């Protein structure tokens, strides 16, 4: 296996095992404008892909699985801002809203193995905690406006995060049986992302630390779907307002659109994203150069 090191002063703790070819993705949801958190993610995604060799690919996936919140004008703005920043994807973009037949086939596979059941619980009834399995043995009819869940076993999932090191999660304790499709017919983020990563042969998922808790359940779901080898994962730092407070839209100065309108250059926006992440100016120059195509 070939190994390569990320630049010396970066936050990564370990060399990255480099599958041939490396396939990663940038996968924004068109539910708002591009902000500095996306920019940091894009820097990681494109830098790692470009540094890993000429055959590495960055796929662009529009995660518009939530039909109520996704808007074409946000998608258009995301694409335009990405281009302005200098991030060019490899190949055609994909939209989750156009992949329903693939998700349906993946669901059918789980159903055929007796792993799914209908769930009539509302989000309000469940709250934000673990789903306790209320509908597991109710044998409800899927067609009556019910959601669909997949049964998770009590397995412990272990994975080696490329930045954070060895991790252990027990999804059945963390979240309970996973919602695959909600009561309104929307495919869930967890399901659509896992199916897409599998079908698109994504072998490195690069995303923010706020999604670290989702990883064990995604690895388990991928295995239930039949994926032999789960992708590798790298969870990067989030942009912080202070050591304990995550930067949010309400803090202002985070939207790429707003910064552009105020005359910022692409380099300055990339600089801002990396400095908020605690990375050095030298890294910024290196990254900026790396992410630009001739
Ligand atoms: Zn239920």
């Amino acid at each position: 296996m070939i190994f390569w090191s990320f630049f010396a002063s970066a936050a990564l703790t370990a060399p990255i095992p480099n599958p041939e070819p490396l396939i990663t993705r940038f996968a924004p949801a068109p539910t708002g404008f591009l902000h500095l958190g996306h920019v940091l993610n894009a820097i990681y995604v494109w830098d790692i892909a470009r540094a890993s060799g000429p055959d590495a690919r960055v796929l662009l996936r529009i995660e518009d699985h939530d039909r109520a919140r996704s808007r074409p004008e946000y998608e258009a703005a995301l694409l335009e801002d990405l281009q302005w920043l200098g991030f060019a994807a490899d190949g055609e973009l994909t939209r989750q809203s156009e992949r329903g037949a693939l998700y349906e086939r993946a669901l059918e596979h789980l159903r055929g193995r007796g792993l799914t059941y209908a769930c009539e619980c509302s989000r309000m009834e469940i709250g934000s905690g673990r789903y306790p399995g209320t509908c597991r043995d109710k044998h409800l009819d899927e067609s009556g406006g019910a959601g669909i869940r997949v049964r998770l076993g009590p397995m412990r999932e272990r994975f080696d995060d490329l930045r954070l090191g060895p991790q252990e999660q027990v999804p059945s304790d963390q979240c309970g049986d996973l919602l695959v499709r909600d009561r309104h017919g929307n495919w869930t983020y967890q399901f659509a992302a896992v199916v897409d990563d599998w079908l698109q042969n994504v072998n490195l998922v690069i995303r923010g630390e706020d999604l670290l808790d989702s990883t064990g359940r995604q690895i388990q779901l991928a295995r239930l779907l039949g994926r032999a080898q789960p992708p590798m994962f790298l969870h990067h730092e989030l942009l912080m307002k202070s050591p304990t407070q995550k930067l949010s839209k309400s803090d202002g100065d985070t939207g790429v659109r707003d910064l552009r309108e105020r005359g910022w250059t692409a380099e300055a926006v990339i600089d801002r994203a990396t400095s908020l992440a605690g990375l050095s100016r030298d890294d910024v120059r290196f990254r900026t150069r790396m992410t630009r195509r001739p």
Side-chain angles (χ1 to χ4, degrees):
M1 191 178 284
I2 300 163
F3 287 84
W4 60 273
S5 292
F6 209 40
F7 29 95
S9 57
L12 299 186
T13 55
I16 293 180
N18 187 4
E20 295 287 346
L22 187 128
I23 303 174
T24 186
R25 79 309 202 268
F26 182 73
T31 54
F33 292 113
L34 207 70
H35 57 73
L36 290 176
H38 292 115
V39 176
L40 180 66
N41 182 243
I43 292 165
Y44 266 97
V45 165
W46 265 274
D47 277 8
I48 287 173
R50 296 294 173 251
S52 90
D55 297 331
R57 302 183 69 214
V58 176
L59 309 179
L60 180 57
R61 180 196 305 155
I62 302 296
E63 295 203 333
D64 55 354
H65 55 91
D66 184 336
R67 292 171 298 178
R69 293 177 60 224
S70 298
R71 298 221 198 114
E73 56 268 36
Y74 286 136
E75 181 191 305
L78 289 167
L79 297 178
E80 216 265 316
D81 284 342
L82 269 185
Q83 192 181 27
W84 178 76
L85 286 162
F87 298 114
D90 303 306
E92 292 295 303
L93 69 80
T94 52
R95 285 185 195 88
Q96 290 186 327
S97 60
E98 295 167 355
R99 294 168 66 81
L102 297 171
Y103 304 142
E104 191 61 61
R105 211 178 306 159
L107 171 60
E108 194 48 52
H109 176 77
L110 296 176
R111 200 183 271 133
R113 296 182 60 200
L115 292 170
T116 61
Y117 62 89
C119 166
E120 62 183 356
C121 304
S122 68
R123 195 176 286 190
M124 215 154 73
E125 284 167 329
I126 298 165
S128 56
R130 174 184 177 276
Y131 177 66
T134 315
C135 303
R136 246 189 176 204
D137 301 312
K138 282 189 185 171
H139 307 289
L140 297 167
D141 185 357
E142 276 187 17
S143 59
I148 299 174
R149 290 185 183 270
V150 58
R151 292 168 199 272
L152 297 186
M155 286 85 84
R156 190 171 294 275
E157 301 295 341
R158 295 185 175 85
F159 59 96
D160 206 358
D161 186 276
L162 295 177
R163 175 171 159 262
L164 301 170
Q167 307 288 318
E168 251 186 51
Q169 296 176 0
V170 183
S172 58
D173 290 347
Q174 288 175 292
C175 60
D177 294 340
L178 267 188
L179 195 64
V180 166
R181 197 163 68 192
D182 72 16
R183 298 193 306 157
H184 310 290
N186 288 309
W187 300 101
T188 61
Y189 156 73
Q190 301 285 358
F191 187 68
V194 168
V195 173
D196 286 343
D197 285 337
W198 176 39
L199 296 182
Q200 296 183 309
N201 296 314
V202 168
N203 49 28
L204 175 60
V205 173
I206 301 170
R207 58 189 183 188
E209 275 176 16
D210 51 342
L211 285 166
L212 181 64
D213 284 351
S214 289
T215 306
R217 66 197 72 162
Q218 292 185 358
I219 289 172
Q220 191 170 132
L221 184 54
R223 192 168 58 239
L224 294 175
L225 284 165
R227 183 170 184 169
Q229 179 76 37
M232 301 182 296
F233 289 87
L234 185 155
H235 292 88
H236 58 72
E237 59 276 84
L238 300 176
L239 299 186
M240 304 298 279
K241 183 160 76 169
S242 71
T244 54
Q245 267 186 303
K246 195 178 148 185
L247 188 78
S248 74
K249 261 184 244 175
S250 58
D251 296 317
D253 289 352
T254 67
V256 172
R257 226 113 257 247
D258 296 339
L259 297 172
R260 283 178 69 176
E261 276 166 23
R262 285 160 45 193
W264 286 51
T265 62
E267 283 76 11
V269 171
I270 287 171
D271 188 358
R272 176 83 177 136
T274 44
S275 66
L276 279 170
L279 298 166
S280 80
R281 187 63 198 263
D282 282 345
D283 290 340
V284 174
R285 289 204 188 92
F286 184 78
R287 283 158 189 249
T288 306
R289 229 179 16 247
M290 290 273 316
T291 52
R292 291 305 153 92
R293 293 180 137 190

